[in-house]
Amino acid sequence: MTDTFESQPTPTLTVRPRGLGALYFLLLAWLSPAVLASVLRATVGLPLWVGAAAGVLGAGVLTWRVLSALRPWPDHVPLVLMQVVNVTVALGLTWRMLGIPVMGGLASTGGGDAGNHAALRADFATRTPGTYQGFTIFHTVTYGLEKLFGGDAFTSFRAGFYLVPFVLALALVAGLEVVAVRRWRTGRAAVAAQVALLAAFAFVWPLLLLRLLHYHQAEGFYAHLFGLVPLVLAWLAYGLPRQAWARCVALALFTVFYRYTYGLNLGDFLFTCGALVFVEGRGLPPKWRRLAWPAGLLMLGAAAYAYWRLLPLAHVSGGFIPHGYERALRTQCWAVAGLLVVRFLPPRGEEAVERRLLDFALLFAGVNAAIQLAYLSARLPIDYYFLKYGLHAQVLLLSVLMLVASNRFGAMLLPAQAPRSRALGVGLAVLVAVMLVEVTRGWGRAFRVYEESYEERVRGQPPFKFLEPLEDRGAVAIVREVLRDNGKRFGGLLSPSWPQVNFTNVDLGWVPDDWQANNGHWAVFENGAVRDGPGACVFWQASEADWEAYRHVSEEYPRLEARVRQLHGTADKVCREYPAPWTPAGVRTLCYRCD
């Protein structure tokens, strides 16, 4: 055999090995009812059920057509087993590290954003379709889950949060199958790639990715986190199709999905899509080719407008623990530079799917880094939105590194390769794996400030110094029982915990009139402004640890403790002790009085 640098894949098989990838993608397509419902309500004010019904119909037709016409049933048992193992391990690690059962699966570091998201969800679903500039797909997903399966705001927010790592795991496993099978055409290489992905999950998931997800969830940044879902799916929807028109359609559809999820990185996304439309225009049919330039220019113009809209946010402060942003940005720049080298290493004769995936990630992460560098050069404040800005690029770069490294390790098992070709393949696999390790370590050092709260969450047992429950589920159960048994309305819950006051009062049905202007239920926390009166029951936390916490809060907000003591001094109050496994004492006391 001639010694050459070009890879020597085995001849194309009549039937390529199939795993669960197509079924995983079909499962992800069932996000479309929530997307359509949210977009139609935000843009034209339609009830959520209208868009959801249309989305269910579309997803159902798509599923039926694919299953009946293409019959994408798996036929390669080892590949299927590895894919099941990969998803199971990723989800098992997620729940083991973040699940914190004593707090019901969701923790808080003290911010009130979760309660504000619960309030805006109720506002969006029932009163104000255009609230929050339309960034409401997370809220529509959780609202739909609550209506379909019961539960409350807490359980639906928990499902919405854990849906993010679930989608990331499914997308990586399914995307890797397509890339490996299409490029190497052997089940052996595809299985080896999934084995390598398992190693990547075991390394990256607990050491970095889950730490980032933990902190952003604990601060209440749910919409920002959910923006990772359309980003990663858009990355695959662009990279995997063979036809240029399909890739252009995917870019257009996912631009809508991303825009109505969260807008902080919308400029990066639009810039990426605009640049890729220019590239893909050359492969379109002649009658559509002339539209590529106007469409690309429109997206770039929209990106410029999105960046302009971000400028006033530079001076907005918020609750965010500063990380090593300079180290994080430096690691991001090195990752982009390294992947740019990898982008031009594969021989031109190979299937271009991997290069397309690299192109999307490099454009998005590259412009994201450039915006951060420009921001620092302008000496603008290092605050809330700047510190949140890099997350989407970081997760996308981790995803592409995991996929490319796994795919390259799968290629090492290809038979009948020339010595130089095998050496080049091994060298490239090692190079990308080393990049993945170093990027994970670099960002791990940059985000070390989150390590203590993350370790508390992983440990999952009291005492807790940095974390508290987002909601006291035992107290909520008592409140609902009391209201049901007495036939009363909910008048409010007082607690020394701001996140619990803000979230739980909404969860129990008290939605503030103007959550944006009033910062949710801040008046309740600051002043103890409950809605007592005829026909109402008012509740307050009253264990020994709570009284100590009230005294601490009273140094800034003395009216809260005064109001609680006033209520506690009434003769008709009732107090109940209940299990609270996150507290050192293991129990907590809830008091209430009903008029």
Side-chain angles (χ1 to χ4, degrees):
M1 181 179 291
T2 305
D3 203 14
T4 175
F5 282 102
E6 294 188 0
S7 60
Q8 302 291 325
T10 55
T12 304
L13 299 177
T14 304
V15 179
R16 295 180 181 180
R18 283 196 306 266
L20 294 169
L23 299 181
Y24 283 168
F25 282 129
L26 274 182
L27 181 62
L28 293 173
W30 282 89
L31 289 169
S32 58
V35 175
L36 190 58
S38 185
V39 172
L40 290 179
R41 177 150 182 81
T43 53
V44 296
L46 290 178
L48 287 173
W49 69 265
V50 176
V56 167
L57 179 62
V61 170
L62 174 66
T63 302
W64 177 78
R65 291 288 298 273
V66 170
L67 294 181
S68 60
L70 301 181
R71 300 186 178 277
W73 307 113
D75 59 11
H76 196 282
V77 174
L79 178 57
V80 169
L81 291 176
M82 278 309 308
Q83 290 175 314
V84 171
V85 168
N86 273 336
V87 173
T88 303
V89 167
L91 298 185
L93 282 172
T94 299
W95 185 251
R96 170 61 188 86
M97 308 301 274
L98 303 186
I100 196 163
V102 298
M103 296 186 187
L106 295 179
S108 174
T109 53
D113 273 24
N116 289 344
H117 280 294
L120 83 86
R121 184 185 76 163
D123 198 26
F124 171 70
T126 60
R127 294 185 299 189
T128 314
T131 189
Y132 202 46
Q133 301 179 64
F135 304 141
T136 48
I137 287 179
F138 168 79
H139 311 88
T140 305
V141 168
T142 57
Y143 183 81
L145 291 172
E146 188 173 327
K147 293 300 180 183
L148 282 172
F149 302 108
D152 53 19
F154 182 88
T155 56
S156 62
F157 271 50
R158 180 175 60 194
F161 166 64
Y162 286 102
L163 186 61
V164 175
F166 175 69
V167 170
L168 293 179
L170 280 189
L172 283 170
V173 170
L176 180 60
E177 178 192 331
V178 176
V179 175
V181 170
R182 190 180 297 173
R183 290 198 60 178
W184 313 126
R185 303 179 175 92
T186 72
R188 182 179 174 187
V191 172
Q194 295 289 336
V195 172
L197 182 62
L198 176 62
F201 277 141
F203 178 70
V204 175
W205 229 249
L207 292 183
L208 179 59
L209 181 67
L210 295 180
R211 191 194 310 181
L212 296 176
L213 298 185
H214 146 72
Y215 176 72
H216 284 75
Q217 180 275 306
E219 287 286 9
F221 305 149
Y222 290 94
H224 186 211
L225 276 175
F226 205 77
L228 294 170
V229 171
L231 176 63
V232 171
L233 295 182
W235 168 59
L236 293 177
Y238 169 73
L240 300 185
R242 293 182 184 273
Q243 295 84 10
W245 69 265
R247 296 193 288 271
C248 290
V249 169
L251 292 175
L253 292 176
F254 278 95
T255 295
V256 176
F257 190 173
Y258 194 78
R259 181 263 177 262
Y260 286 96
T261 304
Y262 196 67
L264 183 60
N265 298 101
L266 183 58
D268 303 337
F269 194 91
L270 287 165
F271 176 88
T272 300
C273 292
L276 292 173
V277 166
F278 287 141
V279 173
E280 297 298 337
R282 297 173 298 176
L284 294 175
K287 64 178 181 179
W288 299 111
R289 195 175 303 160
R290 64 175 66 94
L291 299 178
W293 276 91
L297 289 173
L298 180 63
M299 285 184 164
L300 293 181
Y305 176 73
Y307 289 132
W308 177 74
R309 289 290 301 272
L310 289 180
L311 286 176
L313 301 181
H315 301 280
V316 173
S317 296
F320 203 103
I321 300 174
H323 56 265
Y325 60 89
E326 291 181 330
R327 183 188 290 272
L329 180 55
R330 186 163 58 248
T331 302
Q332 182 175 333
C333 291
W334 279 113
V336 170
L339 284 174
L340 194 61
V341 173
V342 174
R343 161 66 176 79
F344 291 101
L345 280 181
R348 292 187 178 274
E350 293 186 353
E351 164 66 49
V353 59
E354 185 179 272
R355 290 204 298 275
R356 289 195 296 269
L357 293 171
L358 285 167
D359 287 343
F360 186 102
L362 286 168
L363 282 167
F364 186 93
V367 72
N368 179 276
I371 293 298
Q372 292 184 70
L373 290 170
Y375 188 97
L376 293 175
S377 300
R379 300 187 182 278
L380 292 168
I382 306 301
D383 215 320
Y384 182 74
Y385 285 106
F386 175 78
L387 294 171
K388 291 174 69 174
Y389 192 75
L391 175 71
H392 283 200
Q394 292 151 7
V395 173
L396 183 59
L397 284 172
L398 285 174
S399 300
V400 74
L401 281 167
M402 291 173 69
L403 190 146
V404 172
S406 302
N407 184 49
R408 288 294 166 172
F409 271 100
M412 291 169 59
L413 294 186
L414 288 175
Q417 292 187 94
R420 284 191 177 183
S421 179
R422 183 175 293 276
L424 179 61
V426 171
L428 188 57
V430 172
L431 171 64
V432 181
V434 169
M435 285 176 57
L436 177 61
V437 170
E438 291 304 311
V439 165
T440 301
R441 292 178 57 197
W443 277 329
R445 289 190 289 268
F447 296 106
R448 187 171 291 163
V449 68
Y450 308 151
E451 194 168 296
E452 290 180 304
S453 64
Y454 178 54
E455 289 176 352
E456 266 195 1
R457 188 166 187 162
V458 173
R459 188 182 74 240
Q461 295 296 325
F464 294 102
K465 179 180 177 182
F466 302 98
L467 299 178
E468 59 180 304
L470 174 60
E471 183 170 271
D472 185 336
R473 299 297 286 170
V476 168
I478 292 174
V479 170
R480 291 201 167 105
E481 177 188 332
V482 169
L483 296 177
R484 182 179 63 251
D485 292 346
N486 291 277
K488 302 289 186 178
R489 65 178 174 84
F490 176 61
L493 169 71
L494 297 178
S495 166
S497 165
W498 162 231
Q500 289 180 28
V501 166
N502 202 31
F503 188 87
T504 304
N505 278 287
V506 177
D507 195 9
L508 290 168
W510 182 10
V511 180
D513 292 332
D514 191 341
W515 64 270
Q516 289 180 302
N518 301 319
N519 191 19
H521 279 299
W522 182 253
V524 179
F525 180 71
E526 183 180 20
N527 304 317
V530 292
R531 305 179 300 175
D532 51 350
C537 294
V538 175
F539 302 81
W540 62 95
Q541 300 289 358
S543 64
E544 183 178 342
D546 290 316
W547 289 116
E548 179 63 32
Y550 284 127
R551 284 191 289 273
H552 179 71
V553 171
S554 69
E555 296 174 6
E556 290 188 77
Y557 312 111
R559 288 190 291 269
L560 174 63
E561 183 185 13
R563 180 65 172 130
V564 173
R565 289 195 179 279
Q566 179 189 25
L567 290 167
H568 204 68
T570 56
D572 57 346
K573 73 176 186 295
V574 178
C575 294
R576 290 174 58 175
E577 194 174 82
Y578 60 94
W582 72 89
T583 64
V587 294
R588 204 177 186 191
T589 302
L590 181 73
C591 297
Y592 64 92
R593 66 180 299 271
C594 298
D595 290 323

